[in-house]
Amino acid sequence: MDLHALSAQSRPRPRRHRGLRWTVAVTVACLAALAGWTGYRVAAGKTTPPRFTRESAESARRALRAAHGDRWAPAASRSAERAFMDAALEWRRQETSFVVFRNYDDARRLFAQADDKLRQATRVAEEMRSDERGRAERAIAKARQIVGGTDAIADAIGLGRYEGMLLQKCKIGVDEAERLFKIEEYEKAAQRAELAALQSGRVTDRAAELVARFSDPQLVRKWRGMIDDTVAWSRRTGGTAFVVSKEAHEMTVYVRGKAVETLKVELGSNSVRDKLHAGDNATPEGRYKVVSKIAASRYERALLLDYPNAEDRQRFAAARLHGELPRGVSPGGLIEVHGGGGRGKDWTNGCVAVTDREMDRVFARASVGTPVTIVGSDGAAGTFTNVVRMQKMAAGATGGARAAE
């Protein structure tokens, strides 16, 4: 072997060649590690957008909006909405980052949290909506019942102008509550219905004040005595007598002490009061007699009564003495039993009205001097006494509730 060539093989390789090999080796190792790391991330799903989780959250978000969460559960809705926006922001941040560095783990976690919050807020909203709807339904039903009862009382009693206007306002209030209910304004509907019921209760209280005297035991005994005296007179004399009960809106015809006919009557438009003066539209209460039979009256036929009698005049004078009368009024007069009735309401200026056909029979039975006794009540339970009883029960319930508080 050539000594020169042998010498060349035994010489060490240049240093730059060793550095190049190390660089290549490190690069290959890094690329392999990067490929492995990326492969692991891909395999683990970290770079895959969590579309199902996001779609679920978006579905929950639509459900919350359909349930009007911002209205029925505003705090929970705002919290859930913020959670959704945070998740969407994280999703966007990952989308715009380099693909090998993407990691949707936080976005997935945030969307899952937002999903839970959105669904919880929806449940809260639906529960609140259901509760408010139920409350409104109950309030409207109660108001409709109370106002209906007051309206029936008004028909039976005839309220004053203020009470009539207040009752009309209550009816409008209930209608308004039902309109609000239809457009799902449940809270406003409930408040409107509750106000209508409260105002209606005030009307009922006022009505109870007006008719309180119809359940006064002393007054009822007086009226009962007047009826007994009239019937006894009919029995004793064999004559005809008429007894009018204002509460029952009935006139009973007695012949020889026996009731032979009972007729429905219509009275003065202010029939709950005892007549005191001209123009008060009240029907008088007392023992009267027919003083004239009018065959051709404005209302078919008529029996003119001796109102005001001595007792009426005495009561009128006492009221004037105590300043209870308007200026320039008189006791009034021209109180009759006449035809023209059958209108279904009290409408006269204080007279007692029956239908024309009934008046023909009444007119035939009566003569000058026939007793016509008009009382507030015959002692049997009727509309007026029921109003008082209802008002007392309501007051007792209120008192019991207050005591329980």
Side-chain angles (χ1 to χ4, degrees):
M1 177 178 294
D2 186 5
L3 293 174
H4 183 74
L6 183 61
S7 177
Q9 288 179 352
S10 62
R11 285 201 298 269
R13 293 179 180 179
R15 184 179 295 276
R16 64 176 181 275
H17 290 168
R18 293 200 300 270
L20 180 60
R21 286 198 298 273
W22 275 105
T23 302
V24 171
V26 170
T27 302
V28 170
C30 289
L31 289 175
L34 179 61
W37 180 65
T38 303
Y40 163 73
R41 290 167 55 79
V42 172
K46 294 180 180 296
T47 59
T48 303
R51 300 192 183 283
F52 177 78
T53 306
R54 176 163 185 164
E55 289 173 0
S56 178
E58 289 176 340
S59 175
R61 193 185 188 197
R62 289 192 294 273
L64 177 59
R65 292 181 175 179
H68 302 289
D70 55 339
R71 175 180 173 187
W72 299 109
S77 294
R78 284 195 297 271
S79 176
E81 190 68 24
R82 280 197 299 272
F84 182 88
M85 296 306 296
D86 289 344
L89 184 62
E90 175 60 20
W91 172 293
R92 181 58 181 163
R93 195 171 69 82
Q94 295 302 323
E95 270 189 332
T96 56
S97 63
F98 187 59
V99 62
V100 297
F101 296 111
R102 291 177 186 172
N103 186 343
Y104 284 98
D105 282 354
D106 285 345
R108 184 178 290 104
R109 177 178 55 79
L110 292 174
F111 269 121
Q113 291 176 351
D115 194 340
D116 290 341
K117 287 190 173 183
L118 289 163
R119 294 182 189 281
Q120 185 176 0
T122 301
R123 286 194 294 272
V124 172
E126 289 175 345
E127 288 174 1
M128 291 297 296
R129 178 177 178 273
S130 178
D131 290 346
E132 287 295 328
R133 179 187 173 92
R135 178 195 166 199
E137 280 183 324
R138 291 190 295 273
I140 291 173
K142 183 178 179 182
R144 179 65 72 188
Q145 181 182 9
I146 292 175
V147 173
T150 305
D151 195 33
I153 291 170
D155 285 343
I157 292 177
L159 299 174
R161 183 177 179 182
Y162 171 76
E163 290 79 11
M165 291 175 61
L166 188 57
L167 177 57
Q168 188 61 28
K169 190 175 179 181
C170 295
K171 294 178 183 177
I172 294 173
V174 176
D175 292 341
E176 178 70 9
E178 290 185 337
R179 188 189 66 78
L180 290 168
F181 183 85
K182 289 179 181 177
I183 60 174
E184 298 191 356
E185 292 285 353
Y186 300 132
E187 185 176 3
K188 293 180 180 177
Q191 291 173 348
R192 195 71 189 90
E194 287 165 357
L195 178 61
L198 179 64
Q199 292 174 331
S200 182
R202 291 175 182 166
V203 177
T204 302
D205 289 346
R206 177 58 181 153
E209 291 176 11
L210 290 173
V211 299
R213 67 193 187 90
F214 287 86
S215 60
D216 182 323
Q218 186 175 356
L219 203 49
V220 171
R221 279 197 298 273
K222 175 187 173 183
W223 288 331
R224 189 66 245 177
M226 291 166 59
I227 296 173
D228 292 342
D229 290 346
T230 303
V231 174
W233 177 91
S234 174
R235 186 183 304 110
R236 185 173 64 254
T237 63
T240 299
F242 303 101
V243 174
V244 176
S245 169
K246 292 172 67 173
E247 181 174 25
H249 280 69
E250 291 178 350
M251 181 172 73
T252 302
V253 181
Y254 290 91
V255 177
R256 291 186 290 278
K258 293 184 178 180
V260 297
E261 187 174 15
T262 298
L263 307 171
K264 282 293 180 184
V265 298
E266 291 155 5
L267 307 171
S269 56
N270 196 12
S271 64
V272 293
R273 294 179 173 84
D274 189 6
K275 189 170 188 62
L276 188 57
H277 60 83
D280 62 7
N281 293 328
T283 299
E285 298 164 11
R287 282 177 281 205
Y288 303 102
K289 292 181 179 179
V290 175
V291 294
S292 178
K293 294 181 65 177
I294 306 172
S297 165
R298 179 181 177 183
Y299 299 108
E300 175 65 6
R301 303 169 188 269
L303 303 176
L304 180 63
L305 307 185
D306 61 340
Y307 174 86
N309 58 24
E311 186 175 345
D312 296 324
R313 292 184 185 280
Q314 185 178 8
R315 193 159 50 88
F316 178 84
R320 169 164 286 177
L321 183 64
H322 291 92
E324 298 173 353
L325 296 174
R327 287 186 176 181
V329 297
S330 67
L334 298 177
I335 299 299
E336 301 174 337
V337 177
H338 59 59
R343 304 184 188 187
K345 63 179 182 180
D346 289 336
W347 55 274
T348 75
N349 295 327
C351 296
V352 177
V354 295
T355 65
D356 291 347
R357 181 172 296 180
E358 291 166 343
M359 189 61 211
D360 288 342
R361 299 199 301 272
V362 170
F363 192 85
R365 291 182 183 276
S367 58
V368 173
T370 297
V372 179
T373 297
I374 304 175
V375 299
S377 172
D378 59 3
T383 303
F384 298 168
T385 50
N386 287 338
V387 169
V388 177
R389 188 178 297 119
M390 288 168 54
Q391 195 271 344
K392 287 181 177 177
M393 290 174 62
T398 304
R402 288 174 179 169
E405 293 174 357

